[in-house]
């Protein structure tokens, strides 16, 4: 059983499943003033309970097997873990009506731009939205890396749940060059530099 090193940062968001589904159905796109993100920044906690606030890093010898997954991108093209063989992969679980997902989107995009020429790929996993809602979010937030639409099958979520489960939305996982989870952030990224460091560490590994 893997024993993670943990660092408590601040309160992170854990989605209530019923509220998450209801919000996703009600939201058809992103609003100009992004009231959901503003509510989250204000700490109102509407429809959310506090997560455990931890960043977990897993030593190379305790990461277990590589995660095998396959799914379909928003444009209908297939994607699988085999597409990222030998690369570091950052996987972010999200949906458009999730306030902390909206807050952290610019940080994820900035890190994608920083590392995309260094053998690092980013893949979103959208848990609830239609293709049009996901596309609206990505356009509004300037997100240019692809996302799997996992609403109908849940296959990508299930694949990771067997190893290091995403227990909050958002959750961000760093996958090493061998396809194993090297780090997990439960809830919103507490600071861009934290994920930056986790990615950098994974890149530096042999």
């Amino acid at each position: 059983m893997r024993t993670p090193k943990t660092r408590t940062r601040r309160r992170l968001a854990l989605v209530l499943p019923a509220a998450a589904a209801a919000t996703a159905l009600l939201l058809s796109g992103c609003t100009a003033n992004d009231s959901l993100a503003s509510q989250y920044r204000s700490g109102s906690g509407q429809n959310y309970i506090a997560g455990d606030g931890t960043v977990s890093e897993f030593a190379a010898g305790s990461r277990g097997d590589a995660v095998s997954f396959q799914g379909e991108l928003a444009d209908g093209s297939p994607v699988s873990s085999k597409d990222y063989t030998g690369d570091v992969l950052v996987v972010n679980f999200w949906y458009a009506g999730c306030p902390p997902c909206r807050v952290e989107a610019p940080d994820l995009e900035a890190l994608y731009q920083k590392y995309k020429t260094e053998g690092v790929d980013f893949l979103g996993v959208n848990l609830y939205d239609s293709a049009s809602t996901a596309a609206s979010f990505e356009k509004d937030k300037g997100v240019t890396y692809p996302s799997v639409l996992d609403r109908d099958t849940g296959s990508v979520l299930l694949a990771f749940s067997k190893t290091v489960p995403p227990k909050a939305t958002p959750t961000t996982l760093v996958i090493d060059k061998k396809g194993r989870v090297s780090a997990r952030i439960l809830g919103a990224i507490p600071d861009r530099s934290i994920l930056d460091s986790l990615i950098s560490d994974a890149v530096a590994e042999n």
Side-chain angles (χ1 to χ4, degrees):
M1 182 177 181
R2 57 175 63 86
T3 303
K5 298 181 291 180
T6 59
R7 296 174 289 175
T8 301
R9 300 294 182 180
R10 69 176 187 184
R11 294 178 66 198
L12 300 181
L14 176 65
V15 177
L16 291 172
T23 305
L25 289 173
L26 289 171
L27 188 75
S28 60
C30 300
T31 59
N33 61 4
D34 207 341
S35 60
L36 289 174
S38 297
Q39 288 174 10
Y40 176 73
R41 288 191 184 96
S42 72
S44 65
Q46 185 174 358
N47 292 334
Y48 282 78
I49 59 176
D52 61 8
T54 59
V55 176
S56 300
E57 297 175 77
F58 305 99
S62 64
R63 292 176 190 167
D65 297 330
V67 179
S68 177
F69 67 85
Q70 58 184 7
E72 187 174 290
L73 299 179
D75 64 3
S77 60
V79 65
S80 78
S81 50
K82 294 180 181 179
D83 297 327
Y84 304 103
T85 301
D87 290 347
V88 171
L89 176 64
V90 179
V91 180
N92 176 256
F93 293 84
W94 68 282
Y95 69 98
C98 156
C101 299
R102 301 165 79 87
V103 171
E104 71 176 6
D107 287 332
L108 289 165
E109 176 64 21
L111 290 172
Y112 168 64
Q113 293 297 331
K114 177 179 179 178
Y115 283 103
K116 67 181 183 179
T117 60
E118 298 184 33
V120 178
D121 298 300
F122 277 58
L123 180 67
V125 180
N126 187 289
L127 299 174
Y128 297 111
D129 297 326
S130 66
S132 60
T133 299
S136 178
F137 175 96
E138 291 167 347
K139 181 179 179 180
D140 185 61
K141 299 299 182 184
V143 175
T144 60
Y145 57 84
S147 279
V148 172
L149 296 183
D150 209 39
R151 178 180 69 175
D152 294 333
T153 67
S155 61
V156 179
L157 176 63
L158 179 61
F160 284 99
S161 295
K162 295 175 181 178
T163 53
V164 181
K167 295 181 179 179
T169 306
T171 286
T172 301
L173 304 176
V174 179
I175 314 303
D176 69 16
K177 298 172 186 177
K178 297 180 180 180
R180 307 170 302 174
V181 179
S182 64
R184 177 182 65 184
I185 301 176
L186 287 175
I189 299 167
D191 187 272
R192 184 189 301 180
S193 64
I194 293 173
L195 180 55
D196 194 339
S197 177
L198 296 173
I199 295 171
S200 179
D201 288 348
V203 169
E205 290 181 350
N206 295 323

